[in-house]
C-alpha cells in the first residue's frame, strides 16, 4: 500500500527542486575569484564591470580562480551577441562610431582617453554585454551575492526566494 504522506512529501520535494533549478538558471552565474573581496586584477576588453560566466561555462570561470555562484550578477538590459567574434565586431564599431562622431579616424587611444566602453554602452541603453554561452559583463551590478557552494545557494533560495 502507498504511504500517502510520503508520496505527497516526495511530490512537494520534486516541485521545489524544479522551481529551484528554474530560478537558478535565470538568476545565477559563475565567477572565478582569486581572493574574495578583491578585484581579480584582470581587465576585460569589454569595459569595467562584473564579469561572470553562465552556469554551463564553469571551466572559464575556474581559469580565473575559485568558482563562486553569483546572484544578481546578470545584466538586466544587455546587448546580446552570439559569439566572441560578434562581440569584437560590436566593440570595434562602438569605438569607430565614437571616433567618427568626434571627427576622428578610428583610434583606440583617442577612445580610451575620452570615454570608456562601459560609458558608451550605458549611453546606448545597455547595462551589460552577454556573449551567449561564454561570458557576460554587468556594468551596474547591484546587491551581488557570492556563494561558495551549492548548499549555501540552496539555503539562500529557501530563505529568501521561496
Amino acid at each position: 500500500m502507498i504511504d500517502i504522506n510520503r508520496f505527497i512529501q516526495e511530490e512537494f520535494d520534486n516541485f521545489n527542486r524544479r522551481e529551484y533549478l528554474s530560478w537558478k538558471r535565470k538568476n545565477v552565474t559563475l565567477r572565478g575569484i582569486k581572493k574574495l573581496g578583491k578585484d581579480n586584477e584582470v581587465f576585460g576588453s569589454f569595459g569595467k564591470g562584473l564579469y561572470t560566466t553562465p552556469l554551463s561555462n564553469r571551466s572559464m570561470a575556474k581559469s580565473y580562480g575559485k568558482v563562486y555562484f553569483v546572484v544578481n550578477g546578470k545584466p538586466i538590459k544587455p546587448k546580446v551577441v552570439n559569439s566572441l567574434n560578434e562581440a569584437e565586431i560590436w566593440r570595434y564599431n562602438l569605438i569607430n562610431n565614437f571616433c567618427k562622431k568626434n571627427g576622428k579616424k578610428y583610434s583606440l587611444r583617442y577612445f580610451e582617453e575620452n570615454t570608456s566602453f562601459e560609458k558608451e554602452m550605458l549611453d546606448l541603453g545597455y547595462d551589460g554585454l552577454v556573449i551567449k554561452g561564454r561570458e557576460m559583463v554587468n556594468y551596474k551590478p547591484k546587491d551581488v551575492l557570492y556563494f561558495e557552494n551549492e548548499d549555501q545557494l540552496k539555503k539562500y533560495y529557501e530563505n529568501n526566494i521561496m
Side-chain angles (χ1 to χ4, degrees), residues 48-78:
K48 289 183 182 175
L50 175 66
Y51 282 76
T52 61
T53 68
L55 294 169
S56 61
N57 200 351
R58 187 175 194 84
S59 63
M60 184 173 190
K62 191 172 178 130
S63 70
Y64 290 97
K66 182 177 178 180
V67 177
Y68 286 81
F69 291 100
V70 180
V71 174
N72 299 326
K74 285 185 176 184
I76 296 166
K77 295 179 185 174

PDB file of all heavy atoms in Angstrom, residues 48-78:
ATOM      1  N   LYS A  48      34.834  47.997 -17.856  1.00  0.00           N
ATOM      2  CA  LYS A  48      34.880  47.689 -16.426  1.00  0.00           C
ATOM      3  C   LYS A  48      33.498  47.281 -15.965  1.00  0.00           C
ATOM      4  O   LYS A  48      32.510  47.936 -16.281  1.00  0.00           O
ATOM      5  CB  LYS A  48      35.355  48.895 -15.627  1.00  0.00           C
ATOM      6  CG  LYS A  48      36.813  49.200 -15.820  1.00  0.00           C
ATOM      7  CD  LYS A  48      37.239  50.366 -14.952  1.00  0.00           C
ATOM      8  CE  LYS A  48      38.703  50.690 -15.213  1.00  0.00           C
ATOM      9  NZ  LYS A  48      39.133  51.887 -14.486  1.00  0.00           N
ATOM     10  N   GLY A  49      33.467  46.216 -15.188  1.00  0.00           N
ATOM     11  CA  GLY A  49      32.205  45.731 -14.661  1.00  0.00           C
ATOM     12  C   GLY A  49      32.414  44.368 -14.032  1.00  0.00           C
ATOM     13  O   GLY A  49      33.536  43.882 -13.918  1.00  0.00           O
ATOM     14  N   LEU A  50      31.323  43.751 -13.666  1.00  0.00           N
ATOM     15  CA  LEU A  50      31.363  42.428 -13.067  1.00  0.00           C
ATOM     16  C   LEU A  50      31.274  41.388 -14.179  1.00  0.00           C
ATOM     17  O   LEU A  50      30.249  41.260 -14.843  1.00  0.00           O
ATOM     18  CB  LEU A  50      30.191  42.251 -12.094  1.00  0.00           C
ATOM     19  CG  LEU A  50      30.058  40.866 -11.479  1.00  0.00           C
ATOM     20  CD1 LEU A  50      31.245  40.556 -10.567  1.00  0.00           C
ATOM     21  CD2 LEU A  50      28.745  40.743 -10.722  1.00  0.00           C
ATOM     22  N   TYR A  51      32.359  40.639 -14.370  1.00  0.00           N
ATOM     23  CA  TYR A  51      32.405  39.584 -15.380  1.00  0.00           C
ATOM     24  C   TYR A  51      32.023  38.256 -14.735  1.00  0.00           C
ATOM     25  O   TYR A  51      32.584  37.893 -13.701  1.00  0.00           O
ATOM     26  CB  TYR A  51      33.804  39.459 -15.984  1.00  0.00           C
ATOM     27  CG  TYR A  51      34.132  40.519 -17.004  1.00  0.00           C
ATOM     28  CD1 TYR A  51      34.456  41.812 -16.616  1.00  0.00           C
ATOM     29  CD2 TYR A  51      34.108  40.225 -18.359  1.00  0.00           C
ATOM     30  CE1 TYR A  51      34.752  42.787 -17.552  1.00  0.00           C
ATOM     31  CE2 TYR A  51      34.409  41.191 -19.311  1.00  0.00           C
ATOM     32  CZ  TYR A  51      34.727  42.475 -18.895  1.00  0.00           C
ATOM     33  OH  TYR A  51      35.010  43.432 -19.826  1.00  0.00           O
ATOM     34  N   THR A  52      31.077  37.570 -15.336  1.00  0.00           N
ATOM     35  CA  THR A  52      30.688  36.240 -14.878  1.00  0.00           C
ATOM     36  C   THR A  52      30.471  35.353 -16.093  1.00  0.00           C
ATOM     37  O   THR A  52      30.466  35.836 -17.232  1.00  0.00           O
ATOM     38  CB  THR A  52      29.392  36.267 -14.028  1.00  0.00           C
ATOM     39  OG1 THR A  52      28.315  36.762 -14.818  1.00  0.00           O
ATOM     40  CG2 THR A  52      29.563  37.104 -12.784  1.00  0.00           C
ATOM     41  N   THR A  53      30.305  34.073 -15.826  1.00  0.00           N
ATOM     42  CA  THR A  53      30.020  33.128 -16.914  1.00  0.00           C
ATOM     43  C   THR A  53      28.682  32.454 -16.633  1.00  0.00           C
ATOM     44  O   THR A  53      28.245  32.384 -15.484  1.00  0.00           O
ATOM     45  CB  THR A  53      31.104  32.031 -17.028  1.00  0.00           C
ATOM     46  OG1 THR A  53      31.030  31.186 -15.871  1.00  0.00           O
ATOM     47  CG2 THR A  53      32.491  32.614 -17.153  1.00  0.00           C
ATOM     48  N   PRO A  54      28.045  31.938 -17.681  1.00  0.00           N
ATOM     49  CA  PRO A  54      26.834  31.150 -17.436  1.00  0.00           C
ATOM     50  C   PRO A  54      27.193  29.878 -16.674  1.00  0.00           C
ATOM     51  O   PRO A  54      28.358  29.467 -16.633  1.00  0.00           O
ATOM     52  CB  PRO A  54      26.304  30.829 -18.829  1.00  0.00           C
ATOM     53  CG  PRO A  54      27.264  31.357 -19.811  1.00  0.00           C
ATOM     54  CD  PRO A  54      28.366  32.055 -19.094  1.00  0.00           C
ATOM     55  N   LEU A  55      26.203  29.261 -16.082  1.00  0.00           N
ATOM     56  CA  LEU A  55      26.426  28.021 -15.322  1.00  0.00           C
ATOM     57  C   LEU A  55      27.091  26.955 -16.179  1.00  0.00           C
ATOM     58  O   LEU A  55      27.823  26.110 -15.670  1.00  0.00           O
ATOM     59  CB  LEU A  55      25.100  27.504 -14.774  1.00  0.00           C
ATOM     60  CG  LEU A  55      24.441  28.401 -13.722  1.00  0.00           C
ATOM     61  CD1 LEU A  55      23.019  27.928 -13.447  1.00  0.00           C
ATOM     62  CD2 LEU A  55      25.260  28.455 -12.457  1.00  0.00           C
ATOM     63  N   SER A  56      26.860  27.002 -17.487  1.00  0.00           N
ATOM     64  CA  SER A  56      27.397  25.988 -18.396  1.00  0.00           C
ATOM     65  C   SER A  56      28.881  26.168 -18.703  1.00  0.00           C
ATOM     66  O   SER A  56      29.491  25.316 -19.337  1.00  0.00           O
ATOM     67  CB  SER A  56      26.611  26.011 -19.713  1.00  0.00           C
ATOM     68  OG  SER A  56      26.739  27.288 -20.328  1.00  0.00           O
ATOM     69  N   ASN A  57      29.478  27.275 -18.258  1.00  0.00           N
ATOM     70  CA  ASN A  57      30.881  27.543 -18.597  1.00  0.00           C
ATOM     71  C   ASN A  57      31.758  27.612 -17.345  1.00  0.00           C
ATOM     72  O   ASN A  57      32.538  28.537 -17.148  1.00  0.00           O
ATOM     73  CB  ASN A  57      30.999  28.825 -19.419  1.00  0.00           C
ATOM     74  CG  ASN A  57      32.289  28.894 -20.196  1.00  0.00           C
ATOM     75  OD1 ASN A  57      33.192  28.073 -20.014  1.00  0.00           O
ATOM     76  ND2 ASN A  57      32.394  29.863 -21.077  1.00  0.00           N
ATOM     77  N   ARG A  58      31.650  26.593 -16.527  1.00  0.00           N
ATOM     78  CA  ARG A  58      32.426  26.513 -15.286  1.00  0.00           C
ATOM     79  C   ARG A  58      33.930  26.550 -15.561  1.00  0.00           C
ATOM     80  O   ARG A  58      34.709  27.141 -14.801  1.00  0.00           O
ATOM     81  CB  ARG A  58      32.049  25.244 -14.529  1.00  0.00           C
ATOM     82  CG  ARG A  58      32.662  25.147 -13.160  1.00  0.00           C
ATOM     83  CD  ARG A  58      32.158  23.912 -12.399  1.00  0.00           C
ATOM     84  NE  ARG A  58      32.481  23.987 -11.017  1.00  0.00           N
ATOM     85  CZ  ARG A  58      31.768  24.626 -10.098  1.00  0.00           C
ATOM     86  NH1 ARG A  58      30.667  25.223 -10.441  1.00  0.00           N
ATOM     87  NH2 ARG A  58      32.157  24.651  -8.838  1.00  0.00           N
ATOM     88  N   SER A  59      34.366  25.926 -16.659  1.00  0.00           N
ATOM     89  CA  SER A  59      35.804  25.865 -16.949  1.00  0.00           C
ATOM     90  C   SER A  59      36.398  27.259 -17.161  1.00  0.00           C
ATOM     91  O   SER A  59      37.514  27.525 -16.726  1.00  0.00           O
ATOM     92  CB  SER A  59      36.081  24.961 -18.150  1.00  0.00           C
ATOM     93  OG  SER A  59      35.474  25.482 -19.308  1.00  0.00           O
ATOM     94  N   MET A  60      35.652  28.149 -17.796  1.00  0.00           N
ATOM     95  CA  MET A  60      36.167  29.506 -17.985  1.00  0.00           C
ATOM     96  C   MET A  60      36.245  30.232 -16.642  1.00  0.00           C
ATOM     97  O   MET A  60      37.237  30.897 -16.351  1.00  0.00           O
ATOM     98  CB  MET A  60      35.301  30.297 -18.951  1.00  0.00           C
ATOM     99  CG  MET A  60      35.844  31.668 -19.241  1.00  0.00           C
ATOM    100  SD  MET A  60      34.898  32.475 -20.522  1.00  0.00           S
ATOM    101  CE  MET A  60      35.939  33.887 -20.820  1.00  0.00           C
ATOM    102  N   ALA A  61      35.208  30.084 -15.831  1.00  0.00           N
ATOM    103  CA  ALA A  61      35.223  30.718 -14.506  1.00  0.00           C
ATOM    104  C   ALA A  61      36.399  30.198 -13.691  1.00  0.00           C
ATOM    105  O   ALA A  61      37.106  30.966 -13.040  1.00  0.00           O
ATOM    106  CB  ALA A  61      33.903  30.452 -13.784  1.00  0.00           C
ATOM    107  N   LYS A  62      36.629  28.895 -13.750  1.00  0.00           N
ATOM    108  CA  LYS A  62      37.695  28.267 -12.974  1.00  0.00           C
ATOM    109  C   LYS A  62      39.079  28.788 -13.381  1.00  0.00           C
ATOM    110  O   LYS A  62      39.997  28.851 -12.561  1.00  0.00           O
ATOM    111  CB  LYS A  62      37.632  26.756 -13.124  1.00  0.00           C
ATOM    112  CG  LYS A  62      38.530  26.030 -12.158  1.00  0.00           C
ATOM    113  CD  LYS A  62      38.294  24.541 -12.197  1.00  0.00           C
ATOM    114  CE  LYS A  62      39.245  23.890 -11.253  1.00  0.00           C
ATOM    115  NZ  LYS A  62      38.669  22.967 -10.348  1.00  0.00           N
ATOM    116  N   SER A  63      39.223  29.199 -14.634  1.00  0.00           N
ATOM    117  CA  SER A  63      40.518  29.699 -15.094  1.00  0.00           C
ATOM    118  C   SER A  63      40.913  31.015 -14.403  1.00  0.00           C
ATOM    119  O   SER A  63      42.062  31.428 -14.446  1.00  0.00           O
ATOM    120  CB  SER A  63      40.531  29.865 -16.612  1.00  0.00           C
ATOM    121  OG  SER A  63      39.703  30.933 -17.005  1.00  0.00           O
ATOM    122  N   TYR A  64      39.944  31.665 -13.731  1.00  0.00           N
ATOM    123  CA  TYR A  64      40.225  32.921 -13.026  1.00  0.00           C
ATOM    124  C   TYR A  64      40.384  32.733 -11.525  1.00  0.00           C
ATOM    125  O   TYR A  64      40.703  33.677 -10.812  1.00  0.00           O
ATOM    126  CB  TYR A  64      39.123  33.947 -13.310  1.00  0.00           C
ATOM    127  CG  TYR A  64      39.166  34.437 -14.730  1.00  0.00           C
ATOM    128  CD1 TYR A  64      38.344  33.878 -15.702  1.00  0.00           C
ATOM    129  CD2 TYR A  64      40.053  35.432 -15.116  1.00  0.00           C
ATOM    130  CE1 TYR A  64      38.392  34.311 -17.014  1.00  0.00           C
ATOM    131  CE2 TYR A  64      40.111  35.873 -16.430  1.00  0.00           C
ATOM    132  CZ  TYR A  64      39.273  35.310 -17.368  1.00  0.00           C
ATOM    133  OH  TYR A  64      39.337  35.744 -18.663  1.00  0.00           O
ATOM    134  N   GLY A  65      40.116  31.537 -11.023  1.00  0.00           N
ATOM    135  CA  GLY A  65      40.263  31.288  -9.591  1.00  0.00           C
ATOM    136  C   GLY A  65      39.188  30.355  -9.078  1.00  0.00           C
ATOM    137  O   GLY A  65      38.527  29.659  -9.844  1.00  0.00           O
ATOM    138  N   LYS A  66      39.015  30.365  -7.766  1.00  0.00           N
ATOM    139  CA  LYS A  66      37.993  29.525  -7.142  1.00  0.00           C
ATOM    140  C   LYS A  66      36.620  29.952  -7.650  1.00  0.00           C
ATOM    141  O   LYS A  66      36.314  31.143  -7.704  1.00  0.00           O
ATOM    142  CB  LYS A  66      38.056  29.656  -5.620  1.00  0.00           C
ATOM    143  CG  LYS A  66      37.058  28.784  -4.912  1.00  0.00           C
ATOM    144  CD  LYS A  66      37.187  28.880  -3.415  1.00  0.00           C
ATOM    145  CE  LYS A  66      36.103  28.002  -2.794  1.00  0.00           C
ATOM    146  NZ  LYS A  66      36.122  28.018  -1.373  1.00  0.00           N
ATOM    147  N   VAL A  67      35.780  28.981  -7.989  1.00  0.00           N
ATOM    148  CA  VAL A  67      34.485  29.274  -8.588  1.00  0.00           C
ATOM    149  C   VAL A  67      33.433  29.519  -7.502  1.00  0.00           C
ATOM    150  O   VAL A  67      33.279  28.728  -6.582  1.00  0.00           O
ATOM    151  CB  VAL A  67      34.038  28.132  -9.522  1.00  0.00           C
ATOM    152  CG1 VAL A  67      32.651  28.400 -10.088  1.00  0.00           C
ATOM    153  CG2 VAL A  67      35.048  27.941 -10.651  1.00  0.00           C
ATOM    154  N   TYR A  68      32.740  30.640  -7.647  1.00  0.00           N
ATOM    155  CA  TYR A  68      31.642  31.006  -6.763  1.00  0.00           C
ATOM    156  C   TYR A  68      30.359  31.128  -7.585  1.00  0.00           C
ATOM    157  O   TYR A  68      30.397  31.520  -8.752  1.00  0.00           O
ATOM    158  CB  TYR A  68      31.907  32.372  -6.106  1.00  0.00           C
ATOM    159  CG  TYR A  68      32.941  32.331  -5.025  1.00  0.00           C
ATOM    160  CD1 TYR A  68      34.297  32.352  -5.330  1.00  0.00           C
ATOM    161  CD2 TYR A  68      32.572  32.276  -3.689  1.00  0.00           C
ATOM    162  CE1 TYR A  68      35.259  32.311  -4.339  1.00  0.00           C
ATOM    163  CE2 TYR A  68      33.525  32.241  -2.679  1.00  0.00           C
ATOM    164  CZ  TYR A  68      34.862  32.261  -3.014  1.00  0.00           C
ATOM    165  OH  TYR A  68      35.807  32.222  -2.029  1.00  0.00           O
ATOM    166  N   PHE A  69      29.238  30.821  -6.939  1.00  0.00           N
ATOM    167  CA  PHE A  69      27.935  31.100  -7.518  1.00  0.00           C
ATOM    168  C   PHE A  69      27.655  32.576  -7.260  1.00  0.00           C
ATOM    169  O   PHE A  69      27.919  33.085  -6.174  1.00  0.00           O
ATOM    170  CB  PHE A  69      26.840  30.257  -6.854  1.00  0.00           C
ATOM    171  CG  PHE A  69      26.941  28.794  -7.158  1.00  0.00           C
ATOM    172  CD1 PHE A  69      27.503  27.910  -6.244  1.00  0.00           C
ATOM    173  CD2 PHE A  69      26.462  28.285  -8.355  1.00  0.00           C
ATOM    174  CE1 PHE A  69      27.588  26.562  -6.504  1.00  0.00           C
ATOM    175  CE2 PHE A  69      26.546  26.926  -8.636  1.00  0.00           C
ATOM    176  CZ  PHE A  69      27.104  26.063  -7.713  1.00  0.00           C
ATOM    177  N   VAL A  70      27.097  33.261  -8.259  1.00  0.00           N
ATOM    178  CA  VAL A  70      26.823  34.688  -8.148  1.00  0.00           C
ATOM    179  C   VAL A  70      25.333  34.937  -8.390  1.00  0.00           C
ATOM    180  O   VAL A  70      24.796  34.523  -9.418  1.00  0.00           O
ATOM    181  CB  VAL A  70      27.653  35.494  -9.177  1.00  0.00           C
ATOM    182  CG1 VAL A  70      27.367  36.982  -9.056  1.00  0.00           C
ATOM    183  CG2 VAL A  70      29.140  35.211  -9.018  1.00  0.00           C
ATOM    184  N   VAL A  71      24.704  35.605  -7.442  1.00  0.00           N
ATOM    185  CA  VAL A  71      23.313  36.022  -7.589  1.00  0.00           C
ATOM    186  C   VAL A  71      23.322  37.523  -7.840  1.00  0.00           C
ATOM    187  O   VAL A  71      24.085  38.260  -7.216  1.00  0.00           O
ATOM    188  CB  VAL A  71      22.489  35.673  -6.332  1.00  0.00           C
ATOM    189  CG1 VAL A  71      21.082  36.238  -6.421  1.00  0.00           C
ATOM    190  CG2 VAL A  71      22.443  34.167  -6.135  1.00  0.00           C
ATOM    191  N   ASN A  72      22.498  37.984  -8.758  1.00  0.00           N
ATOM    192  CA  ASN A  72      22.379  39.389  -9.173  1.00  0.00           C
ATOM    193  C   ASN A  72      23.580  39.851  -9.995  1.00  0.00           C
ATOM    194  O   ASN A  72      23.869  41.042 -10.047  1.00  0.00           O
ATOM    195  CB  ASN A  72      22.164  40.323  -7.965  1.00  0.00           C
ATOM    196  CG  ASN A  72      20.905  40.010  -7.213  1.00  0.00           C
ATOM    197  OD1 ASN A  72      19.908  39.598  -7.804  1.00  0.00           O
ATOM    198  ND2 ASN A  72      20.936  40.176  -5.911  1.00  0.00           N
ATOM    199  N   GLY A  73      24.242  38.928 -10.641  1.00  0.00           N
ATOM    200  CA  GLY A  73      25.369  39.288 -11.497  1.00  0.00           C
ATOM    201  C   GLY A  73      24.985  39.509 -12.953  1.00  0.00           C
ATOM    202  O   GLY A  73      25.717  40.148 -13.697  1.00  0.00           O
ATOM    203  N   LYS A  74      23.832  39.005 -13.354  1.00  0.00           N
ATOM    204  CA  LYS A  74      23.411  39.146 -14.748  1.00  0.00           C
ATOM    205  C   LYS A  74      22.915  40.566 -15.014  1.00  0.00           C
ATOM    206  O   LYS A  74      22.173  41.127 -14.206  1.00  0.00           O
ATOM    207  CB  LYS A  74      22.260  38.186 -15.056  1.00  0.00           C
ATOM    208  CG  LYS A  74      22.666  36.758 -15.197  1.00  0.00           C
ATOM    209  CD  LYS A  74      21.478  35.906 -15.625  1.00  0.00           C
ATOM    210  CE  LYS A  74      21.919  34.476 -15.868  1.00  0.00           C
ATOM    211  NZ  LYS A  74      20.814  33.653 -16.369  1.00  0.00           N
ATOM    212  N   PRO A  75      23.306  41.127 -16.144  1.00  0.00           N
ATOM    213  CA  PRO A  75      22.752  42.429 -16.506  1.00  0.00           C
ATOM    214  C   PRO A  75      21.269  42.276 -16.865  1.00  0.00           C
ATOM    215  O   PRO A  75      20.832  41.209 -17.301  1.00  0.00           O
ATOM    216  CB  PRO A  75      23.583  42.852 -17.721  1.00  0.00           C
ATOM    217  CG  PRO A  75      24.224  41.616 -18.236  1.00  0.00           C
ATOM    218  CD  PRO A  75      24.296  40.647 -17.104  1.00  0.00           C
ATOM    219  N   ILE A  76      20.496  43.335 -16.675  1.00  0.00           N
ATOM    220  CA  ILE A  76      19.062  43.289 -16.930  1.00  0.00           C
ATOM    221  C   ILE A  76      18.734  43.634 -18.379  1.00  0.00           C
ATOM    222  O   ILE A  76      17.870  43.016 -18.991  1.00  0.00           O
ATOM    223  CB  ILE A  76      18.321  44.231 -15.957  1.00  0.00           C
ATOM    224  CG1 ILE A  76      18.518  43.723 -14.522  1.00  0.00           C
ATOM    225  CG2 ILE A  76      16.834  44.331 -16.283  1.00  0.00           C
ATOM    226  CD1 ILE A  76      18.132  44.713 -13.456  1.00  0.00           C
ATOM    227  N   LYS A  77      19.432  44.639 -18.942  1.00  0.00           N
ATOM    228  CA  LYS A  77      19.200  45.065 -20.322  1.00  0.00           C
ATOM    229  C   LYS A  77      20.518  45.008 -21.107  1.00  0.00           C
ATOM    230  O   LYS A  77      21.063  46.045 -21.483  1.00  0.00           O
ATOM    231  CB  LYS A  77      18.651  46.488 -20.351  1.00  0.00           C
ATOM    232  CG  LYS A  77      17.286  46.642 -19.713  1.00  0.00           C
ATOM    233  CD  LYS A  77      16.850  48.089 -19.770  1.00  0.00           C
ATOM    234  CE  LYS A  77      15.560  48.280 -19.028  1.00  0.00           C
ATOM    235  NZ  LYS A  77      15.182  49.694 -18.945  1.00  0.00           N
ATOM    236  N   PRO A  78      21.024  43.805 -21.355  1.00  0.00           N
ATOM    237  CA  PRO A  78      22.322  43.707 -22.030  1.00  0.00           C
ATOM    238  C   PRO A  78      22.219  43.735 -23.552  1.00  0.00           C
ATOM    239  O   PRO A  78      21.161  43.464 -24.124  1.00  0.00           O
ATOM    240  CB  PRO A  78      22.810  42.330 -21.577  1.00  0.00           C
ATOM    241  CG  PRO A  78      21.551  41.526 -21.503  1.00  0.00           C
ATOM    242  CD  PRO A  78      20.514  42.481 -20.965  1.00  0.00           C
TER     243      PRO A  78
END
